[in-house]
Amino acid sequence: MSNRQRMTRMRRMVSAVLPMLFSLSTFLFPLSTLAQSALDIITDNQSFAASNYSIYPDTALPRLTPAPEGKVPFYISHYGRHGSRYVENRKGFDIPYNMLCRADSMNELTERGKKVLSDMRVIYADTEKHWGDLTSYGQKQHRGIAQRMMDRFPEVFRGNAHIDARSTIVPRCILSMGSALHVMAINNPELDITMKASQADMFYMNHQDQLLRRNGMTADAPKAYDKFIEGRKHNERLMELLFIHPDSARKVVNDIWLNYYLIKMGLFQLNTHLYKGGYLTDIFTAREIYRLWQWENAWWYIMHGACKLNGGHQPYTQRHLLRQIISDADSCLQLERPGVQLRYGHETVLLPLTCLIGINGFDLETDNLDELEEKGWWASKVFPMGSNLQFIFYRRDIDDEDVLFKVLLNEREATLPIPTDVAPYYHWKDFREHYLQKIDAYELSRSRMLKEQRQR
């Protein structure tokens, strides 16, 4: 073999190996933020602290692992949250606004306090009659997600592939669905697209289990939560910044909720066309915003995670959705060309669903809220505006009984707490067996508990 041939062969080997190494690194570290602390991330990107109002991370997406040898993608099952929206109701605005108006009537606002009140009026004028509405930014997010889905898995969208899209009956979810389908139709006018938003699907698309919800903040949970947030909820610096006499202002101002809602209001605006104005967020330090994130992250864990303080069953609120996803997939696997199933809903579904499945370790069970941050249970990783789970299925042909799939959380390859010999892919038969047994075991236990309660 000549030197030239050796060099050519070596270049080919390097070209083949490098993508595999890159894919392995994105599997082992599915989120690029793992090496950073939450404070570091918030210092660089305030939006991360907004929790369920954080901006969808659609930049610097990693390259996906190549398809399993001999297999091609043929079916996608998806659940996504609506895109960026306005604040849902007046409460988050009225509480701090009314406090500042009362302080202003007492001539207690500093010049900075008057500027904050003026900024709030601008925000109010922009938001009025748009409470909870999808913003143009939210529409753009879903157009981008749909386009990348088609670019990454073109085999699934060829010809007259069937796209079955469903939404909850909430307008922002319906519009998010429409934004995605619009892009798909433009890319391939031959697609067979059906869409639906019906009360008939709400039992799994947005199931809110009242029994589990009532048990979220009972027994030990409130005590642990209050203890956790005690040193994080006050902001004396803010009081001195906004009020001439902070002690006098406290007669009409609750410093805890003023701090909370002002930060939230500033972060809300990152989802609207006002976000470039920097309204309100510039009056807070990164550490103050970070403390709020810690406060909210703990609340989301208690209410939707496998928190031991309330029994650890909150993720089972989404057992109907998970069962539906499995049932739909089982049916679609019998088809020559099943296409795509899109579902559009809410963060209060997506987060507990992620915890129920245990994606990227979000099935963490603990009664120590101080462990959440160090163990990576950061809700902001899961449910930003436009967040989504995509199950991508692979096989050789319709007779291939070893169907493989992988999960993408916000378009990044994710891990599951079940064994696999083909990571980041998993065997579908292993997944369905594990999670159907998990759901069945919970429902049996729940049934016994309710029966015992009725007999007492």
Side-chain angles (χ1 to χ4, degrees), residues 95-106 108-109 234-236 238-240 242-260 262:
I95 289 176
Y97 179 73
N98 290 336
M99 288 181 188
L100 288 181
C101 285
R102 287 195 291 267
D104 188 39
S105 69
M106 298 165 56
E108 280 293 343
L109 292 183
H234 296 279
N235 189 342
E236 188 60 35
L238 179 67
M239 294 295 291
E240 294 177 354
L242 301 183
F243 305 108
I244 298 172
H245 304 103
D247 289 338
S248 298
R250 282 188 173 88
K251 296 176 182 178
V252 295
V253 171
N254 181 311
D255 68 307
I256 296 173
W257 293 114
L258 179 69
N259 177 65
Y260 178 87
L262 277 183

Side-chain angles (χ1 to χ4, degrees), residues 166-169 196-205 324:
R166 303 194 179 212
S167 167
T168 66
I169 56 178
K196 181 181 178 184
S198 170
Q199 187 68 42
D201 293 323
M202 292 295 279
F203 79 96
Y204 72 91
M205 287 288 289
Q324 187 74 34

Side-chain angles (χ1 to χ4, degrees), residues 136-353:
S136 58
Y137 201 8
Q139 295 177 29
K140 180 181 177 181
Q141 288 161 349
H142 278 287
R143 290 196 296 266
I145 293 167
Q147 183 65 62
R148 288 187 294 275
M149 191 185 294
M150 297 188 77
D151 292 343
R152 285 172 150 184
F153 311 108
E155 300 91 341
V156 186
F157 294 89
R158 287 176 180 163
N160 63 343
H162 181 56
I163 313 297
D164 176 55
R166 303 194 179 212
S167 167
T168 66
I169 56 178
V170 178
R172 57 181 172 269
C173 300
I174 298 172
L175 291 173
S176 295
M177 174 176 66
S179 298
L181 294 179
H182 180 68
V183 166
M184 292 180 179
I186 289 177
N187 275 266
N188 180 5
E190 296 180 30
L191 290 173
D192 174 24
I193 298 176
T194 58
M195 59 180 173
K196 181 181 178 184
S198 170
Q199 187 68 42
D201 293 323
M202 292 295 279
F203 79 96
Y204 72 91
M205 287 288 289
N206 188 23
H207 180 67
Q208 301 297 326
D209 189 302
Q210 295 304 311
L211 175 63
L212 288 173
R213 286 288 177 262
R214 287 196 301 270
N215 290 335
M217 277 291 184
T218 57
D220 296 329
K223 297 177 184 177
Y225 180 65
D226 290 343
K227 181 179 179 181
F228 179 80
I229 70 173
E230 180 56 37
R232 297 175 168 90
K233 59 186 181 181
H234 296 279
N235 189 342
E236 188 60 35
R237 187 195 66 82
L238 179 67
M239 294 295 291
E240 294 177 354
L241 178 69
L242 301 183
F243 305 108
I244 298 172
H245 304 103
D247 289 338
S248 298
R250 282 188 173 88
K251 296 176 182 178
V252 295
V253 171
N254 181 311
D255 68 307
I256 296 173
W257 293 114
L258 179 69
N259 177 65
Y260 178 87
Y261 282 113
L262 277 183
I263 295 178
K264 292 291 287 186
M265 185 175 293
L267 296 176
F268 287 162
Q269 304 319 305
L270 300 176
N271 293 282
T272 76
H273 67 97
L274 290 178
Y275 74 97
K276 292 182 179 179
Y279 291 99
L280 304 183
T281 55
D282 59 347
I283 66 175
F284 295 98
T285 67
R287 187 166 290 278
E288 289 167 349
I289 296 175
Y290 162 68
R291 286 202 300 265
L292 174 74
W293 173 84
Q294 290 180 307
W295 177 350
E296 290 218 306
N297 192 59
W299 185 88
W300 284 107
Y301 178 67
I302 292 172
M303 297 304 296
H304 298 283
C307 179
K308 289 184 177 180
L309 293 166
N310 56 22
H313 295 142
Q314 295 302 312
Y316 286 97
T317 58
Q318 301 315 312
R319 63 193 181 280
H320 300 313
L321 174 57
L322 181 54
R323 195 183 288 280
Q324 187 74 34
I325 289 172
I326 293 172
S327 176
D328 286 346
D330 284 345
S331 297
C332 286
L333 299 191
Q334 307 306 312
L335 303 176
E336 185 73 36
R337 297 189 61 210
V340 182
Q341 287 187 296
L342 304 171
R343 308 171 185 91
Y344 293 88
H346 308 270
E347 77 275 30
T348 53
V349 174
L350 187 64
L351 178 59
L353 175 64

